Amino acid sequence: MTNLHHLAEQAVESAVGGGVTVATAESLTAGMVSAVLADTAGASAMLQGGVVAYQNSAKVDVLGVSSELLAAVGSVDGDVAAAMAAGARNILNSDIGVSTTGVAGPEEHDGKAVGTVFIGIATAEGSTSFEYGFTGNRAEIRGQACGAALERLLAALSA
């Protein structure tokens, strides 16, 4: 079992045990977080769904992220990650929303360095984000971002 699958198993068990539902909004990871959660038996009891919002238009039109915010800060930003998580939580009627946005490379994006990643978490108490700086190739950065999202989801589930 990979570390990602181990984290996902813990998250699914915690969510199901607590009767908590989860939704994802993924840009950088393009569905990887949802896929790893869905690989886990029992995920259907907690995973409401996920949105892959790779383009800013999807972030605005589907998740309800402010176009003004995106124009001001770009897509790789903590406030954008928080808004994506809140959007997923709202449109998929879940208890917790988790999001990913960042730069996998090979070149910087919106003035942000390769490896810059933001994970968003949204609950009934509000939404927040966490910044990371990862190293590696494109696939490695995406994998590390998926792991970070699962870790933040676990932390939110135990809060």
Side-chain angles (χ1 to χ4, degrees):
M1 178 182 294
T2 68
N3 184 51
L4 291 179
H5 286 95
H6 180 71
L7 290 168
E9 186 176 89
Q10 289 178 290
V12 169
E13 288 175 5
S14 179
V16 172
V20 175
T21 56
V22 175
T24 65
E26 301 180 66
S27 183
L28 171 72
T29 50
M32 187 185 302
V33 176
S34 293
V36 173
L37 287 169
D39 279 346
T40 305
S44 60
M46 53 75 75
L47 182 61
Q48 292 292 89
V51 174
V52 174
Y54 215 68
Q55 298 299 321
N56 283 351
S57 57
K59 291 175 182 73
V60 173
D61 297 340
V62 179
L63 295 172
V65 176
S66 160
S67 57
E68 292 81 8
L69 174 64
L70 286 164
V73 299
S75 60
V76 181
D77 181 82
D79 289 341
V80 171
M84 289 173 63
R89 181 180 179 272
N90 292 333
I91 65 170
L92 294 168
N93 193 29
S94 64
D95 298 308
I96 298 176
V98 58
S99 70
T100 64
T101 186
V103 186
E107 298 172 1
E108 70 174 30
H109 180 75
D110 288 342
K112 303 291 189 339
V114 172
T116 303
V117 170
F118 292 91
I119 305 298
I121 294 287
T123 65
E125 287 74 46
S127 57
T128 191
S129 66
F130 304 88
E131 183 174 4
Y132 295 84
F134 296 127
T135 58
N137 64 32
R138 188 172 173 83
E140 291 166 342
I141 291 169
R142 292 178 70 240
Q144 291 170 79
C146 182
L150 292 168
E151 289 169 351
R152 289 297 177 178
L153 173 58
L154 268 169
L157 285 163
S158 61

